[in-house]
Structure formats: structure tokens, C-alpha cells
Amino acid sequence: MPHSQAYDELPATMKALALMEPNEQISLSELLLPVPTVQHNELLVKVEYVGLNPVDAIFAKQGFCKWHYPHILGHDAVGVVVQANKGIFPGVGERVMWHASIGGQGVLSQYTTVPNFAVSVVPNELSASQAATLPCSGMTALIALDKLQLSEGDTILIDAGAGGVGQFAIQFAKQRGATVFATASKHNHKLLKQLGADAVFDYHDAKLCEKIRRELGPQGFDAVLDAIGFDTTIRNIELMRFCGRISCLNPLPKFEQELMFRRAPNIGIVSLGGAWLANSLCAQQKMSFMGNMLLDNAARGEIRLPDIHSVDFSAASVSTALNKQVAGGFTGKQIVQISAD
């Protein structure tokens, strides 16, 4: 059922977690800021939960060219609409989920605004915290698989299969009829098998490529979801068939000309934040459609969600959580509770 909150109940100020400047320690500050006001087709949302992602931690350390400081962190949010202009859908009381603009202020605040066309309405079958696990990882996985144009019977390698993107990609690749190979630390192999992976390999193994070829055969992969980048991208192209397809989530390395001629890979770059940076209304609306698909699959129990690790809404707790994101070896989804369901 929709939640309700009258306009006159809205406070004048709100708590937010902000980065005063990029720093290696990801030191954050707790600020008291004015509650934003809606413009045109925007929604004012009382934020309930925020999902943390590796990209949040990376940019907190390095900064981002479009940011102004202090900068509120966070991109994945779920909350209840508390204010909207007349005729705007979703209306007041609806619970919504979205992935926020990478170029604007983030969502680690008690209230925030978002264009109405970029959100998805959360079904009653899912809790707000469950929905907060979906946007960045789930949408990135869907975009990557769309670029790979998977057909039934294709073979795909999914790197970093235990990460958020990897877990969703394994499940959606199986829905599309692919044979899924994945890499992960050995202690995560059982999880990836449960998600549907047909074969899982330890990415620490010095004989990784040899073992993959022994299992796969001489033909090479039809498709690769390259979640790590750099030298791993070169290795993955070597494992592909001639004219195979690869979706890359990170910057490309410098390729040797001989490798490009020998493999002739079809390289796709995945940029979820590009929908906002390119100011593409069509791409932003597609994020809403992808959100609907993720929520529908989750509500019907057709995809398994990552395990949730709760994080307090405090500068110290979120800083610790973001540092954990980039330290490696973390499985599951860290979710910051801003307000109760």
C-alpha cells in the first residue's frame, strides 16, 4: 500500500553524509542541509535505504570531474515520495527505487530529489532494503548482457562472479539460455553454483586459462563480461573465439595490434552513469524500465538477491563500509538504513 505524508510534516533541514574533498581514507562529514525543493517533474523522496557500491568508494578516493564539494555520496536509493507537482507520477506515498546521476549530488541524505521518469515503483512483495540491492549491480549486469547479444547455447565467461554485478549476470545469463563459466575466490564457488554457473574457477589459480580451455574446448567463449579490466581484459580476449563479444566495465588496456587482428573482438563499453552524463532522456528512462524488470524478477523469486549487510547512517560507519568495498574479498551488499521501512 502507498505510504502517506502530508507536505506540512516536512522538516526544513536534513542530515547528509558528504565528502569535503577526495581523500584516501574516505573521511566523511555529517552535515545539516536544507531539504531540497522539487522542480518541474522531480519527486521529493524521503530516503529509506541506500546501497553502497565499489564505484562510490573509488570516486570518494579519487574524486570525479563533475562533483562540487561538499559532495553527498551514494547512487542507489529506495524511499517514499513525499512531494510531487500535480499530475506527476509516481505520486505521494509511492515507494520508489532508482540509480542517481553520477554528476549530481548523491543520495546519502534523509531527503533527495529525482526525476520522475528515472524511478521504478517497488512492489509490495519486496522490502525497501531488498530493493536497495538492485539498481547499480542489476542494471549494469543487464546492460552488459544486452551488449553481448546472448543467444541460447552461447558460452559466456563472467569475471568476478561473486561481486554484485557477477551474481546478477550469472542468473540473467542462465535465463537467456547461456552456458555460464565464472571466476571467483574458492570460498564463493558453492554460491555461484547455486546461482546457476555451470563451471567456476579460482581466479588465483596460476593454471586458470589452461583449466578453462580444458573444460571449454578449443572454440573459445562466445561472450565475456569483463568486470576487472586492465591485463585481465587481454587474458579474456585470448580466451574468446574469433569475433567474440566482450563487455568491459573498466578502462581498457593498451592492446597489441596482433591480438586485435587475431581475435577481432567486438568490444562494448558499459557505462551506467553515462545515461546522466550524456543527458540522454531515452537512456534515463531505460534505467526505469530495467529497474521494473529487476523488481519484477525479484518479487517473483526468479532471481536471488545478494546477502544484506546493514550499515549505520553515520560518517564513521559508512567510511568503514566504503573502505571494505575497495579492500577486496567482500561478498554481499552493504545497505545503509537512513529511515525505517
Side-chain angles (χ1 to χ4, degrees), residues 181 198-199 201 210-217:
F181 290 61
D198 298 283
F201 302 88
E210 178 184 329
K211 290 181 178 179
I212 287 176
R213 288 191 176 101
R214 190 183 308 149
E215 184 78 21
L216 177 66

Side-chain angles (χ1 to χ4, degrees), residues 97-277:
M97 176 197 83
W98 75 98
H99 180 76
S101 170
I102 193 173
Q105 291 289 353
V107 293
L108 274 168
S109 56
Q110 291 174 310
Y111 294 86
T112 191
T113 57
V114 58
N116 73 312
F117 51 76
V119 305
S120 303
V121 175
V122 179
N124 294 330
E125 292 83 358
L126 286 182
S127 69
S129 58
Q130 289 175 316
T133 67
L134 292 168
C136 185
S137 298
M139 292 180 189
T140 299
L142 289 175
I143 293 171
L145 294 178
D146 285 348
K147 283 180 174 283
L148 293 174
Q149 299 178 335
L150 282 185
S151 300
E152 188 167 353
D154 279 353
T155 56
I156 181 174
L157 173 64
I158 297 175
D159 253 335
V165 175
Q167 289 189 39
F168 287 119
I170 289 169
Q171 296 176 82
F172 283 117
K174 290 303 295 181
Q175 284 188 14
R176 300 180 189 199
T179 300
V180 176
F181 290 61
T183 64
S185 295
K186 199 152 191 174
H187 68 274
N188 285 319
H189 286 198
K190 181 179 179 181
L191 168 63
L192 269 58
K193 287 280 192 177
Q194 292 172 343
L195 295 176
D198 298 283
V200 187
F201 302 88
D202 184 356
Y203 67 82
H204 295 293
D205 194 334
K207 295 184 177 179
L208 172 64
C209 291
E210 178 184 329
K211 290 181 178 179
I212 287 176
R213 288 191 176 101
R214 190 183 308 149
E215 184 78 21
L216 177 66
Q219 69 273 18
F221 289 107
D222 297 298
V224 173
L225 197 164
D226 180 59
I228 300 173
F230 308 103
D231 290 344
T232 303
T233 306
I234 296 173
R235 180 205 72 190
N236 288 338
I237 290 176
E238 287 283 8
L239 289 169
M240 290 162 54
R241 65 170 175 80
F242 181 71
C243 289
R245 308 175 300 277
I246 183 168
S247 283
C248 300
L249 309 190
N250 286 299
L252 298 177
K254 182 178 179 181
F255 295 117
E256 293 295 333
Q257 193 176 45
E258 187 272 341
L259 174 64
M260 293 293 98
F261 279 111
R262 180 161 47 85
R263 281 288 182 261
N266 292 286
I267 300 174
I269 306 300
V270 178
S271 173
L272 183 58
W276 298 103
L277 296 177

